[in-house]
Amino acid sequence: MLNRHIQEYIDLVKSGQFRVCKEQKKLVEYVEYCFKNENIYVDEQQLEKYLDLQKYFDYKLFPWEKFCFALHNCTYISPGVLRWPDLVILVCRGAGKNGYLAFEDFALLTPVNGIKNYHIDICATSEDQAKTSFEDIKEVLEKNSAKMSKHFKWTSTEIRSLKTGSVLKFRTSNSKTKDGGRPGKVDFDEYHAYENYNLINVFKTGFGKKPMPRTTITTTMGDVRDGPLDNELDDALQVLDGKLPDNGKLYFICRLDDKKEVHDERNWYKANPSLQYFPELLREIRKEYEDWKRDNIGNSAFMTKRMNIPQGSTEVPVTEWANILATKRDLIDLSDYPAVFGIDYTKTTDFLTAGLLFEVDNLIYWITQSWYCENCRDLSRIRYPLADAEEHGLIIKVPGVEIPPEYPVDWIDEQRKRYNIVAGALDNYRFTLLKKPLEAIGFDCDKKDGNNNLKLVRPSDLMQAAPIISSDFANQRIIWGDNSLMRWYTNNTKVIYDNKGNMIYGKIEPKTRKTDGFMAFAAAYTVKEKLSEVANVRQFMSTNLKVFSY
C-alpha cells in the first residue's frame, strides 16, 4: 500500500475533479509502477516528522506538494539511498513553487534530516529570485524567534542550524565565491532563465560530497529556447513515456496539453495544481486572459507564465492591428498640459521624426512631424503613399543630400509657443548631431545645476518602456488622431524577445518599411514620468498656495 500522502494526490488526479495535463496522468501511473515493481519504500516516521514542521508556516502544503516532498525526500531504495534525489517542478506562476521550496529547505536543515553539515545553496540568475525562498524561511524564523533562536542563527545572507551545522545560502552569478562549499542540496530556481550550463556547473562545484545529495529545480516556462529547461523537458517526456530510465529524477510537469485549451478556464488547472485553493488568483488570471485576448502579442507572458506554453516565435508585431486602428481618435486641446518630446534620427539621409507626448486622464496623446530626404535610396522601394502624407502635413520632403539637425529642433522650439515641453529624449548615438541645437533652446543632459531635461536613450531604457507601451496599446489608451503615417510606422515595427525575455524593437523589413515615428514615440516613453512630476507640482501649487489681500 502506498503512503497516504502519495496516494492522496494520485486519487485526486484520477478522480477528474479538476483537469490535469497528460504529464500528470503519466507521472502517477509511473510512480505506481515503480512502487509495484521496485523494492522501494517510504520512511513514514521521517515523513510525518517533516510534515509536522508545517506548524511554523503560515500555509500548509497542498496534496501535490506533499506528493513531491514524500517521493523526493523520504522514498528510499535502501537506508541512506534516495530513490528520487532530483526533483523538477514545472508549474505556472502563482502555484506556490517558492513556498514549497522554502518548506523543503527548512525541513532539511533540521535534525529530522539526520545529516550533519547538510548545506543548501539556492541558486538563480538574479539575486531577487535567489533570495525569494531564503526570505520566506527567514520570515518564519523571525515570526517564531523566541523558539527558533534556540535552534537557528540567521543573518541577511545565511541561515544556520545550531544542532546540525547545516547552512542555507543563496547564490547568483554575482556571488563573491563560486567555488563549492560542499553542499548537500542545490536548488535551481526559475531554471528557464539559464541560457546554458556554464553557471549551473559553477553552482554544482563541490556537489555530491555529502550523503544523500539532492537537487530541486523549480520553474515556469520562459523564452530561452534550446537551453537547460528544454533539455529537461525532452528527457522528462521520454522518461514518462518509458523510453528512458529516470536516473533518479522525478518530473512534476503542469501545463496545457494544447494552446487551444486556454479558452476553457477549466483547463487552467492543468498548468496550476494549486488553482483550486486560490479563488483570488483565479479572478486575476481571468483578467489577464481578457487582456491577452485583446492583445496576445503584447501580453504573451500570459501563455508563457500562466499556462506554461511558450509563445513560439520570438519576433512579432508591436501590437494587434485593431489596437493601432484604435489610435484614430480625435485629439483634444493639449495646450494646458505638459509634454515630453521624442526624436528618432537614425540617418541624416533617410527619415526623421520628432513628436510630443502628453498624458491626460489616463490617456496618451501623441502629435508628430516627420521629414524625409529627397535623396533617400529607399524611396523607390517604399509603397506607402508619401505624397498623400505630405499633402496632409504629416511628412515634409527635404531637398539636398541630408536632413539638417536643425529641422527637428526648430519644430520643437516652435511647439514651445503653444505647449509646455518639460523634457525630451533621443537615441544616445545621435546626440552629437543634435547637441548644439538642443542646447540652444534649453535642453541638455549635462546641466551644471543638475536639472537635466534631456535623456540619452539606451537599449535598456527601451526594454523598460516596451511592456508599458504594450499595455497601453492593449488597453487602447493611445491616441494620435487620423495619422496614417504613424500607423504605418508602428505596423512596420516588430518586437524581438531576447534570450532573457526582454522586448527589443526592430524593423520587420529594413529597406521598404520605416519605423522612425514609432521609435520617436518609444523614446518619449522613456521620459514619460516627467509628466506626472509636473502634474504633481501643479496640483501641490493649486492646493497649497493662497493669495492674501491687505
Side-chain angles (χ1 to χ4, degrees):
M1 181 179 293
L2 284 173
N3 171 269
R4 65 187 180 93
H5 299 295
I6 298 174
Q7 190 66 55
E8 179 186 14
Y9 183 67
I10 291 176
D11 291 343
L12 186 61
V13 169
K14 291 184 174 182
S15 72
Q17 181 180 359
F18 295 94
R19 294 181 181 179
V20 296
C21 66
K22 57 187 177 183
E23 284 82 14
Q24 286 298 298
K25 295 176 182 177
K26 291 178 180 179
L27 174 61
V28 299
E29 290 176 0
Y30 183 73
V31 168
E32 287 180 316
Y33 174 86
C34 290
F35 273 96
K36 183 178 180 179
N37 294 278
E38 300 176 14
N39 187 25
I40 58 178
Y41 66 96
V42 175
D43 187 329
E44 306 271 354
Q45 185 178 16
Q46 184 188 49
L47 177 57
E48 292 305 323
K49 287 182 178 179
Y50 276 137
L51 295 180
D52 187 53
L53 298 171
Q54 294 178 87
K55 62 189 177 187
Y56 299 114
F57 286 73
D58 292 335
Y59 54 86
K60 303 295 183 184
L61 296 184
F62 298 129
W64 72 268
E65 294 174 307
K66 289 185 284 187
F67 172 82
C68 288
F69 187 92
L71 294 171
H72 182 37
N73 297 290
C74 301
T75 303
Y76 296 89
I77 297 171
S78 60
V81 182
L82 293 166
R83 172 59 181 87
W84 286 288
D86 303 314
L87 172 64
V88 178
I89 296 178
L90 172 67
V91 291
C92 82
R93 178 184 290 163
K97 54 187 172 54
N98 282 109
Y100 170 84
L101 193 62
F103 176 80
E104 182 176 85
D105 286 350
F106 174 79
L108 293 173
L109 290 175
T110 69
V112 179
N113 184 9
I115 301 174
K116 295 284 188 180
N117 301 315
Y118 196 79
H119 307 315
I120 303 173
D121 288 339
I122 306 176
C123 307
T125 57
S126 72
E127 182 171 313
D128 286 344
Q129 189 60 48
K131 289 174 65 176
T132 301
S133 295
F134 178 92
E135 293 289 344
D136 288 347
I137 298 173
K138 185 166 170 280
E139 183 178 347
V140 169
L141 297 177
E142 291 175 347
K143 282 185 176 181
N144 301 275
S145 60
K147 184 171 184 178
M148 290 299 180
S149 60
K150 300 175 184 178
H151 304 282
F152 293 91
K153 183 178 180 181
W154 60 90
T155 68
S156 61
T157 58
E158 72 172 46
I159 297 169
R160 181 183 297 271
S161 169
L162 299 178
K163 289 189 176 182
T164 67
S166 302
V167 177
L168 174 70
K169 295 181 178 181
F170 57 89
R171 305 177 69 195
T172 69
S173 58
N174 296 322
S175 298
K176 293 181 179 179
T177 177
K178 303 292 195 305
D179 55 352
R182 296 189 176 183
K185 182 174 188 275
V186 177
D187 301 328
F188 294 100
D189 198 9
E190 294 299 5
Y191 202 64
H192 67 82
Y194 292 90
E195 300 174 26
N196 52 52
Y197 290 95
N198 295 342
L199 198 54
I200 294 170
N201 292 334
V202 168
F203 289 148
K204 294 178 82 169
T205 300
F207 185 61
K209 296 178 181 178
K210 292 286 174 65
M212 289 198 291
R214 292 173 173 86
T215 61
T216 300
I217 291 172
T218 53
T219 190
T220 63
M221 284 302 297
D223 297 300
V224 176
R225 299 277 65 85
D226 295 323
L229 178 56
D230 280 358
N231 293 339
E232 287 289 353
L233 282 174
D234 289 342
D235 289 346
L237 298 181
Q238 294 191 67
V239 167
L240 295 176
D241 285 336
K243 297 177 182 178
L244 280 179
D246 62 42
N247 199 28
K249 189 167 287 188
L250 183 72
Y251 294 100
F252 190 90
I253 299 170
C254 295
R255 59 181 180 174
L256 297 187
D257 292 323
D258 187 280
K259 63 182 180 181
K260 295 178 182 178
E261 293 182 335
V262 71
H263 302 295
D264 184 345
E265 73 173 46
R266 291 174 296 177
N267 292 321
W268 299 351
Y269 295 86
K270 292 185 176 187
N272 189 336
S274 304
L275 191 55
Q276 58 188 295
Y277 312 107
F278 292 134
E280 287 296 328
L281 177 61
L282 178 59
R283 284 190 281 271
E284 177 61 28
I285 295 175
R286 284 172 179 159
K287 291 168 58 180
E288 293 180 14
Y289 169 68
E290 293 300 324
D291 287 342
W292 175 80
K293 280 199 303 182
R294 287 198 302 270
D295 183 4
N296 58 36
I297 293 169
N299 296 284
S300 62
F302 172 77
M303 286 297 286
T304 304
K305 299 297 184 183
R306 290 297 195 191
M307 302 296 145
N308 277 336
I309 298 292
Q311 186 74 13
S313 172
T314 57
E315 297 184 2
V316 294
V318 165
T319 190
E320 301 282 354
W321 178 245
N323 295 330
I324 298 177
L325 286 178
T327 63
K328 189 180 176 181
R329 284 172 282 169
D330 292 337
L331 295 165
I332 64 173
D333 182 1
L334 298 163
S335 55
D336 290 332
Y337 299 96
V340 293
F341 70 79
I343 298 176
D344 183 80
Y345 197 28
T346 305
K347 292 181 181 179
T348 60
T349 58
D350 197 352
F351 280 54
L352 187 157
T353 298
L356 299 182
L357 189 81
F358 304 78
E359 185 169 15
V360 181
D361 296 331
N362 207 34
L363 294 174
I364 305 299
Y365 293 87
W366 173 250
I367 60 174
T368 184
Q369 180 65 62
S370 289
W371 298 263
Y372 74 97
C373 178
E374 68 174 0
N375 289 303
C376 173
R377 294 181 179 181
D378 299 329
L379 290 180
S380 61
R381 302 187 182 99
I382 293 174
R383 297 179 181 178
Y384 174 81
L386 287 173
D388 288 347
E390 285 184 69
E391 185 177 336
H392 288 87
L394 300 175
I395 195 167
I396 298 170
K397 180 165 67 174
V398 179
V401 296
E402 66 175 6
I403 304 171
E406 289 79 10
Y407 274 51
V409 178
D410 288 346
W411 181 82
I412 291 169
D413 195 33
E414 181 67 20
Q415 301 308 307
R416 290 202 300 171
K417 296 177 182 178
R418 181 177 180 184
Y419 305 113
N420 176 25
I421 305 175
V422 297
L426 73 157
D427 192 304
N428 176 61
Y429 298 106
R430 299 292 174 259
F431 178 56
T432 303
L433 292 171
L434 296 168
K435 186 178 190 310
K436 289 184 178 180
L438 285 170
E439 287 178 347
I441 64 170
F443 291 97
D444 196 356
C445 60
D446 193 25
K447 288 190 174 184
K448 293 181 180 179
D449 61 3
N451 294 317
N452 298 322
N453 55 6
L454 183 66
K455 184 180 185 67
L456 304 186
V457 179
R458 301 177 185 277
S460 58
D461 297 316
L462 293 175
M463 288 179 187
Q464 293 178 16
I468 303 171
I469 295 173
S470 291
S471 176
D472 287 346
F473 269 122
N475 290 285
Q476 299 187 349
R477 297 179 59 220
I478 298 170
I479 299 172
W480 54 52
D482 187 8
N483 191 324
S484 63
L485 186 60
M486 272 303 301
R487 294 197 295 272
W488 181 64
Y489 284 139
T490 306
N491 199 44
N492 294 343
T493 310
K494 66 183 177 182
V495 172
I496 305 169
Y497 288 91
D498 68 13
N499 53 19
K500 294 183 179 179
N502 297 313
M503 298 169 67
I504 303 170
Y505 294 126
K507 294 181 179 180
I508 291 177
E509 205 291 312
K511 298 295 184 183
T512 64
R513 304 175 69 172
K514 303 300 179 180
T515 62
D516 303 72
F518 178 81
M519 296 308 294
F521 177 71
Y525 256 76
T526 67
V527 288
K528 188 165 74 72
E529 74 277 0
K530 297 291 186 181
L531 300 177
S532 58
E533 292 176 9
V534 173
N536 290 338
V537 170
R538 289 179 63 182
Q539 177 66 27
F540 175 83
M541 297 290 285
S542 63
T543 303
N544 293 278
L545 294 186
K546 300 178 180 179
V547 176
F548 296 91
S549 299
Y550 298 93

